[in-house]
Amino acid sequence: NAGVMQNPRHLVRRRGQEARLRCSPMKGHSHVYWYRQLPEEGLKFMVYLQKENIIDESGMPKERFSAEFPKEGPSILRIQQVVRGDSAAYFCASWEQGHEAFFGQGTRLTVV
Amino acid sequence: TQLLEQSPQFLSIQEGENLTVYCNSSSVFSSLQWYRQEPGEGPVLLVTVVTGGEVKKLKRLTFQFGDARKDSSLHITAAQPGDTGLYLCAVPNAGNMLTFGGGTRLMVKP
């Protein structure tokens, strides 16, 4: 049973470009969470999705950030017009009722 | 103000020493989790504590949940270089969304 898969592992974007981060949850998991981690800090919740639905996006900036979890395919975190302050590690975690959440290895975004 | 305050933020010790890290809050939680995150990796769940006063052992790691379920500690006996990493406490809400503390970054020198 493959774990949570995130890609790419590393992503470099110039200011103003778009970043698309992908997360394939564990098989059988229909809940996905995205977190952001700045250097030397803990993880901060961004958004919680269940298949085709956004359940809680209270931690995600309203401008430039969006997330989706389609019926088929991975969850996508999209950041438009990236700025240097978006540089961070982005983790997704997947979960199913009655089980613990499992984290992917993260995507490290660097904005130059 | 963070919901979960972890201390110390950084800890550098020699192999073989013992250490304790703390996770404190003014709120009461139904459960609390500890994670370890190694460089370049995602967090990995170590333990979930549920009952006030509960003590759980995982090899050389001892986890305790405070009697009032507001705080927790992690004690490592005879630390090894392989214990190096970021230790995070977290509390889940009803939807299993996790709120993390700021973490304790541990370095164990050989």
Side-chain angles (χ1 to χ4, degrees):
Chain A
N1 188 10
V4 179
M5 304 300 293
Q6 288 189 247
N7 69 83
R9 291 291 307 274
H10 301 274
L11 182 60
V12 180
R13 283 288 177 266
R14 295 186 186 280
R15 280 178 293 170
Q17 290 185 320
E18 178 181 286
R20 292 173 69 89
L21 288 61
R22 295 174 187 78
C23 170
S24 296
M26 285 186 71
K27 187 177 180 181
H29 286 191
S30 61
H31 304 255
V32 165
Y33 303 81
W34 285 92
Y35 294 84
R36 178 163 67 178
Q37 185 178 34
L38 296 172
E40 309 299 327
E41 293 188 10
L43 284 75
K44 297 287 193 295
F45 167 75
M46 297 183 73
V47 61
Y48 166 28
L49 307 107
Q50 203 173 354
K51 279 289 185 181
E52 300 184 273
N53 292 306
I54 296 176
I55 307 300
D56 183 343
E57 55 183 347
S58 59
M60 194 163 67
K62 292 190 173 13
E63 304 287 329
R64 302 188 297 108
F65 285 73
S66 62
E68 63 178 17
F69 189 16
K71 187 176 179 182
E72 301 290 338
S75 175
I76 307 285
L77 179 66
R78 183 180 176 208
I79 311 173
Q80 295 178 288
Q81 299 170 1
V82 295
V83 300
R84 288 226 171 99
D86 297 332
S87 295
Y90 292 83
F91 291 94
C92 81
S94 75
W95 169 71
E96 196 53 43
Q97 192 76 28
H99 299 275
E100 70 181 83
F102 289 89
F103 283 82
Q105 292 180 300
T107 293
R108 276 142 195 87
L109 172 65
T110 302
V111 180
V112 297
Chain B
T1 304
Q2 284 212 30
L3 180 66
L4 296 171
E5 297 283 347
Q6 290 193 244
S7 61
Q9 283 187 285
F10 301 96
L11 189 56
S12 180
I13 61 171
Q14 292 295 134
E15 182 176 1
E17 291 183 7
N18 301 332
L19 66 116
T20 302
V21 298
Y22 301 92
C23 176
N24 295 305
S25 178
S26 57
S27 301
V28 178
F29 304 113
S30 58
S31 66
L32 185 145
Q33 298 178 336
W34 283 94
Y35 289 79
R36 180 166 66 206
Q37 184 181 18
E38 298 186 17
E41 301 293 329
V44 175
L45 179 65
L46 296 174
V47 77
T48 300
V49 286
V50 178
T51 307
E54 181 177 5
V55 177
K56 281 191 174 179
K57 289 183 183 293
L58 186 66
K59 296 184 181 178
R60 293 175 295 101
L61 279 59
T62 302
F63 304 85
Q64 184 160 11
F65 201 13
D67 291 341
R69 290 185 286 125
K70 292 182 178 182
D71 50 74
S72 182
S73 63
L74 159 58
H75 181 81
I76 302 178
T77 304
Q80 299 177 359
D83 296 327
T84 292
L86 179 66
Y87 288 83
L88 296 157
C89 64
V91 290
N93 69 6
N96 215 25
M97 182 197 90
L98 295 166
T99 299
F100 285 87
T104 292
R105 193 166 296 277
L106 172 65
M107 176 173 289
V108 182
K109 300 175 189 175

